[in-house]
Amino acid sequence: MPSEAILDPIARLLGEWSSDLTLGAVILRVVLSLTFSAIIGCERSSKRHAAGLRTFMVVSLACTVSMLADLFLRATYGISLFVLSAAAVIGIAIITVNCILYSSRSQIKGLTTSVGLWACGILGLTVGVGFYTVSLVAFAGLLVSLSLFPRFEHYLKNRSNHFEVHLELKDIACLQNFVTTIRELGMKIDDIEANTAYLHSGLSVYSISISISSQELKKYKTHTEIIEALRTLDYVYHIEEMS
């Protein structure tokens, strides 16, 4: 990268060496990539997600190195296509898709972690190209999104008019009783789907979409309180909200 094109504020502050492919710049970018990804990986590991510290670090490092290699090829051989960086992004996309799992309760698992892993890879690319300011802002945004926003998201979901539950009944004949109870509480059932994974368990298991129609419930009750009340029904073996 030509030294006269120092447009990044942090690079301008550090000096021309940080924008060129000098040894110091390469070391700085690798260290930043590992540091950012380690912090994000620690946040994921603390919540016991499958993709943790090492996974995030390796993905970010691979993207940073691929970007550095592409910059070197462009500066040395005039290759304008960022082939290695593109390959890295495609590889991460494949990995993240494989991180998404569907549980026996029809719940999607690992979606946030897989997207976070993909975003961490993109962050590694921005670090590798020397966009220090963009990388720092993106890192802060990604960390805040993963660590702080889940609480706010949970608050919004807990008070929405629609939610889905995993329901286990002691007998299939109890389903009509459950539907009647839901209606009496001021709610309506949008969809009922039998869960075949529990076919030979002795239980009748369903995924049920529920809408709150009662203004009283909308104003005073959260999903948690509604589910706690439904859990006290004699014929309900287990019930929980699906994320």
Side-chain angles (χ1 to χ4, degrees):
M1 184 179 296
S3 59
E4 61 270 19
I6 304 178
L7 302 178
D8 186 88
I10 294 180
R12 185 182 296 112
L13 182 64
L14 293 174
E16 294 184 4
W17 65 271
S18 64
S19 292
D20 294 328
L21 284 180
T22 61
L23 178 60
V26 170
I27 293 175
L28 174 62
R29 295 176 195 183
V30 169
V31 170
L32 283 177
S33 176
L34 291 174
T35 301
F36 289 161
S37 59
I39 295 173
I40 296 171
C42 284
E43 190 280 334
R44 292 285 87 188
S45 295
S46 66
K47 297 179 181 177
R48 303 183 65 82
H49 293 285
L53 177 63
R54 291 179 298 173
T55 306
F56 276 84
M57 291 180 69
V58 169
V59 166
S60 182
L61 178 62
C63 287
T64 300
V65 172
S66 66
M67 178 57 74
L68 289 170
D70 277 334
L71 291 175
F72 174 78
L73 291 174
R74 187 182 71 169
T76 305
Y77 301 104
I79 300 176
S80 58
L81 296 177
F82 286 65
V83 179
L84 296 178
S85 301
V89 172
I90 294 173
I92 295 170
I94 295 173
I95 293 172
T96 54
V97 168
N98 292 330
C99 289
I100 302 174
L101 302 173
Y102 293 86
S103 70
S104 59
R105 297 181 179 181
S106 300
Q107 292 177 293
I108 298 176
K109 299 290 186 180
L111 181 59
T112 302
T113 298
S114 63
V115 173
L117 195 62
W118 174 79
C120 191
I122 301 300
L123 180 61
L125 292 176
T126 62
V127 172
V129 81
F131 291 160
Y132 302 109
T133 303
V134 173
S135 300
L136 183 61
V137 173
F139 161 71
L142 180 57
L143 185 61
V144 168
S145 298
L146 292 175
S147 60
L148 299 182
F149 273 79
R151 298 178 184 177
F152 181 62
E153 183 181 25
H154 176 73
Y155 173 82
L156 293 178
K157 285 184 176 180
N158 204 27
R159 295 183 177 277
S160 67
N161 295 332
H162 307 277
F163 62 102
E164 191 171 1
V165 298
H166 169 84
L167 174 68
E168 299 176 11
L169 298 176
K170 296 178 181 179
D171 191 275
I172 190 172
C174 300
L175 179 60
Q176 184 58 50
N177 293 334
F178 181 82
V179 172
T180 301
T181 301
I182 288 294
R183 290 172 178 170
E184 290 175 349
L185 289 174
M187 296 179 287
K188 65 177 182 179
I189 293 179
D190 299 319
D191 184 57
I192 299 179
E193 181 180 350
N195 195 324
T196 56
Y198 295 80
L199 191 59
H200 302 292
S201 66
L203 298 171
S204 296
V205 183
Y206 305 91
S207 297
I208 303 181
S209 299
I210 300 175
S211 294
I212 302 174
S213 53
S214 168
Q215 294 300 322
E216 192 72 14
L217 278 179
K218 290 180 182 179
K219 187 174 181 181
Y220 296 107
K221 296 296 182 181
T222 63
H223 299 175
T224 302
E225 293 171 319
I226 294 172
I227 290 174
E228 284 298 324
L230 294 174
R231 192 171 284 134
T232 61
L233 298 173
D234 293 337
Y235 49 82
V236 173
Y237 182 79
H238 178 75
I239 184 172
E240 66 179 37
E241 183 172 6
M242 298 172 62
S243 57

